[in-house]
């Protein structure tokens, strides 16, 4: 399988060749600011299943306020679209800004593979479906210890 995506102007194009390992929907302030929206829908891939096929993305290095590690935001220097993220902390993984896929609906988003994180900072209007794993902040401690999720019994609508 192959799925394609790219920036608004088309100068940066990419390809993925495998399904995401999982999907994170994140409402942290970094993701709100970076997307200019309520948060980021972030399918996470093995780094080897992604490549930039056309053009060259620029990179903004952001120091995570949580881990102190670098997060690398890849974006088109012409139109400003952010396409993907890489991480100092997880060098073998990569996150895609899902709205940049040519078909943003191609991958599964089910309770089995999707979690919602940083509900503590979700903005007014944000909705979170029932039945999915949710977390107040991160899904794991800085040392990697998993945090127990909460599963909502009904949809959450931040007011
Ligand atoms: Zn562009
Ligand atoms: Zn985030």
């Amino acid at each position: 399988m192959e799925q394609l995506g790219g920036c608004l102007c088309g100068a940066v194009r990419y390809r993925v060749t495998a399904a995401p390992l999982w999907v994170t929907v994140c409402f942290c302030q970094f993701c709100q600011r970076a997307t200019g929206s309520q948060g980021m829908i972030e399918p996470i891939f093995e780094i080897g299943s992604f490549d930039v096929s056309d053009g060259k993305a620029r990179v903004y290095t952001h120091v995570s306020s949580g881990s102190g590690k670098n997060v690398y935001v890849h974006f088109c220097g012409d139109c400003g679209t952010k396409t993907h993220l890489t991480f100092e902390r997880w060098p073998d993984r990569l996150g895609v800004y899902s709205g940049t896929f040519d078909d943003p609906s191609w991958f599964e988003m089910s309770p089995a593979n999707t979690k919602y994180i940083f509900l503590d900072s979700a903005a007014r209007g944000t909705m979170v479906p029932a039945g999915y794993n949710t977390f107040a902040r991160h899904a794991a401690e800085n040392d990697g210890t998993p945090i127990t999720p909460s599963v909502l019994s009904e949809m959450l609508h931040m007011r």
Side-chain angles (χ1 to χ4, degrees):
M1 58 142 279
E2 177 174 273
Q3 293 288 334
L4 306 175
C7 66
L8 266 177
C9 77
V12 175
R13 297 286 298 164
Y14 64 80
R15 157 174 57 208
V16 300
T17 53
L21 300 168
W22 68 83
V23 181
T24 300
V25 183
C26 184
F27 304 118
C28 80
Q29 286 203 296
F30 168 85
C31 289
Q32 290 187 50
R33 195 177 297 276
T35 59
S37 186
Q38 291 179 339
M40 178 178 183
I41 300 172
E42 182 181 25
I44 302 287
F45 297 88
E46 297 270 14
I47 201 149
S49 59
F50 176 99
D51 71 290
V52 173
S53 49
D54 275 312
K56 188 166 170 16
R58 289 184 57 189
V59 181
Y60 161 65
T61 301
H62 183 84
V63 179
S64 165
S65 56
S67 67
K69 304 275 191 182
N70 291 340
V71 177
Y72 306 103
V73 180
H74 300 250
F75 64 99
C76 173
D78 291 334
C79 70
T81 305
K82 285 175 283 294
T83 51
H84 59 290
L85 286 173
T86 52
F87 313 96
E88 181 181 13
R89 200 174 163 195
W90 300 292
D92 52 342
R93 296 179 204 154
L94 176 145
V96 172
Y97 284 89
S98 73
T100 63
F101 279 113
D102 293 347
D103 174 6
S105 297
W106 74 269
F107 56 90
E108 180 189 346
M109 280 186 77
S110 69
N113 80 335
T114 302
K115 59 178 180 279
Y116 289 76
I117 69 172
F118 276 85
L119 268 58
D120 271 5
S121 50
R124 192 189 309 278
T126 301
M127 291 194 251
V128 181
Y132 287 73
N133 285 342
T134 70
F135 299 84
R137 293 170 48 79
H138 288 289
E141 305 287 0
N142 267 345
D143 66 6
T145 309
I147 294 169
T148 305
S150 308
V151 178
L152 303 175
S153 56
E154 56 188 64
M155 186 185 74
L156 173 68
H157 183 183
M158 300 297 294
R159 295 171 195 277

